[in-house]
C-alpha cells in the first residue's frame, strides 16, 4: 500500500481539512507556504493521467471550496492548483494528488515562475500535429 493509501485508510495520521466518500484533503507535511494542502482520491491511481476525470473534477470542486474557506482564515492573495505527474515533473508520491498552495506575496517562500523562452517554441508542423 502506498503512503497516501495508508493515509486514506487511517493507518498514517494526517491533519484532515476535508473528507467525503471519495476524496480526502489534508495539510502537506512539508508545506511550501502556509496552508499548503493535498487533495487525493481515496482510491489509488498513480497520477492524474491515470485518474478518472470524474474524480479529478471532484478534487477540483473541493479545491474551490477550500480556497473560499481559506480566504477567510489565512487571507492569501492567490493560489496554485497543480499536480505533478511522474518523476520528470517532480512527482515524489505516486498516488495522484493535487496541491492547493496559498500564495501571499513574492517573498512567501515559494519560487515558482514560468520563464518562457524562444527555444521552446515548436515548429509549425509539430504545432499542427498536436491538435487532437
Ligand atoms: P509531489 O512531489 O509528489 O508532487 O508531492 C508530494 C507531497 O507530499 C510533498 O509536498 C510532500 O511534502 C507530501 N508528503 C509526503 N509524504 C507525506 C505524508 O506522509 N504526509 C503528508 N501530510 N504529506 C506528505
Ligand atoms: Zn495509493
Amino acid at each position: 500500500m502506498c503512503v497516501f493509501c495508508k493515509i486514506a485508510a487511517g493507518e498514517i495520521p494526517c491533519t484532515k481539512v476535508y473528507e467525503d466518500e471519495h476524496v480526502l484533503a489534508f495539510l502537506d507535511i512539508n508545506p511550501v507556504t502556509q496552508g499548503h494542502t493535498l487533495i487525493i482520491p481515496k482510491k489509488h491511481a498513480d497520477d492524474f493521467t491515470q485518474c478518472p476525470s470524474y474524480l479529478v473534477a471532484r478534487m477540483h470542486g473541493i479545491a474551490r471550496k477550500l480556497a473560499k474557506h481559506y480566504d477567510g482564515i489565512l487571507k492569501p492573495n492567490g493560489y496554485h492548483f497543480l499536480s505533478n505527474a511522474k518523476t520528470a515533473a517532480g512527482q515524489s508520491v505516486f498516488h495522484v494528488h493535487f496541491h492547493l498552495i496559498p500564495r501571499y506575496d513574492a517573498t512567501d517562500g515559494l519560487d515558482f515562475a514560468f520563464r518562457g523562452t524562444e527555444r521552446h517554441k515548436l515548429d509549425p508542423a509539430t504545432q499542427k500535429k498536436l491538435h487532437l
Side-chain angles (χ1 to χ4, degrees):
M1 218 194 262
C2 86
V3 62
F4 285 179
C5 280
K6 284 184 180 162
I7 287 176
E11 290 175 20
I12 292 179
C14 69
T15 305
K16 257 179 224 176
V17 292
Y18 177 85
E19 182 171 19
D20 67 29
E21 192 188 344
H22 298 290
V23 173
L24 182 66
F26 50 94
L27 297 182
D28 196 293
I29 203 166
N30 193 23
V32 294
T33 66
Q34 287 183 3
H36 180 181
T37 299
L38 301 174
I39 306 167
I40 68 166
K42 289 185 173 176
K43 187 171 157 48
H44 183 94
D46 287 350
D47 62 56
F48 77 82
T49 71
Q50 308 293 316
C51 184
S53 295
Y54 80 92
L55 282 175
V56 173
R58 213 170 161 117
M59 287 189 275
H60 176 246
I62 302 313
R64 288 184 56 172
K65 282 187 185 162
L66 283 171
K68 213 166 191 178
H69 183 55
Y70 287 3
D71 277 347
I73 302 165
L74 300 171
K75 306 200 187 320
N77 295 305
Y79 293 93
H80 295 290
F81 177 63
L82 58 90
S83 187
N84 301 320
K86 310 195 192 299
T87 308
Q91 186 177 8
S92 61
V93 176
F94 295 89
H95 178 129
V96 60
H97 51 281
F98 281 86
H99 296 261
L100 177 66
I101 305 174
R103 293 307 306 265
Y104 300 89
D105 56 38
T107 64
D108 63 14
L110 180 57
D111 181 19
F112 183 84
F114 289 100
R115 297 186 181 88
T117 73
E118 278 293 316
R119 78 186 173 90
H120 292 126
K121 279 212 168 136
L122 295 169
D123 62 83
T126 309
Q127 287 182 25
K128 216 167 175 182
K129 275 191 208 158
L130 294 184
H131 192 294
L132 198 60

